[in-house]
């Protein structure tokens, strides 16, 4: 594997982790949204990854990562008794979003660390290329 191929693989992982960070931020922002455009409580979004073969013109194909899809978590949200809430039903119960902030924070930290790791791979590849150019002088 040459340096450019390694950077390509890391770039695909950076794009995937950035999407994951965006989805986690969206989940956290809507943790208390009880009525969305469809009139229902917000449903947590989940990012699914899949391996992608990156075809190269020279050499063997490489495995990168891509977003397979963003799906909704179908677990039901918690029912809270709040008769004064504008979205309360006839019994005074409000359906809250199924977002657990502790889980989202763990997902956020995991995605952030994966992003940083891939970024350091790109930085190291750049430094290796610069050192190789210095040898040639």
């Amino acid at each position: 594997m040459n340096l450019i191929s390694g950077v390509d693989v890391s770039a695909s992982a950076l794009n995937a982790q950035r999407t994951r960070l965006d989805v986690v931020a969206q989940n956290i922002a809507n943790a208390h949204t009880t009525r969305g455009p469809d009139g229902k409580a917000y449903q947590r979004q989940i990012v699914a990854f899949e391996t992608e073969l990156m075809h190269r013109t020279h050499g063997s194909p490489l495995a990168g990562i891509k977003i397979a899809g963003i799906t909704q978590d179908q677990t039901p949200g918690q029912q809270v008794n709040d008769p004064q809430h504008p979205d309360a039903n006839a019994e005074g119960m409000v359906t809250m979003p199924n977002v657990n902030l502790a889980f989202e924070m763990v997902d956020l930290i995991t995605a952030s660390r994966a992003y940083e790791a891939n970024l350091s791979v790109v930085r190291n590849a750049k430094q290796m290329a610069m050192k190789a150019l210095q040898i040639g002088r």
Side-chain angles (χ1 to χ4, degrees):
M1 178 186 311
N2 64 29
L3 290 176
I4 302 301
S5 300
V7 170
D8 285 345
V9 171
S10 290
S12 70
L14 285 169
N15 284 331
Q17 294 301 331
R18 182 183 52 82
T19 302
R20 184 176 172 199
L21 287 169
D22 289 344
V23 168
V24 170
Q26 182 180 350
N27 287 340
I28 291 172
N30 289 299
H32 299 290
T33 303
T34 56
R35 185 178 357 167
D38 58 352
K40 297 179 181 174
Y42 178 79
Q43 292 288 309
R44 178 177 182 247
Q45 306 288 312
I46 301 171
V47 177
F49 297 130
E50 74 179 9
T51 303
E52 173 185 37
L53 283 180
M54 300 161 56
H55 297 285
R56 311 287 299 173
T57 54
H58 304 295
S60 62
L62 297 172
I65 188 168
K66 72 175 189 176
I67 302 294
I70 298 173
T71 59
Q72 288 188 345
D73 184 357
Q74 296 300 322
T75 57
Q78 185 180 14
Q79 296 283 324
V80 176
N81 185 9
D82 186 3
Q84 303 301 320
H85 197 282
D87 296 329
N89 61 14
E91 293 86 32
M93 302 300 283
V94 179
T95 302
M96 299 301 290
N98 60 354
V99 176
N100 183 330
L101 288 177
F103 292 163
E104 296 302 323
M105 291 307 294
V106 169
D107 209 19
L108 181 72
I109 291 170
T110 305
S112 176
R113 296 288 166 89
Y115 190 89
E116 289 173 3
N118 282 294
L119 197 57
S120 71
V121 168
V122 172
R123 261 190 231 124
N124 289 338
K126 179 183 170 188
Q127 288 176 350
M128 289 171 56
M130 296 304 288
K131 292 289 183 186
L133 288 174
Q134 287 178 355
I135 292 172
R137 290 183 186 169

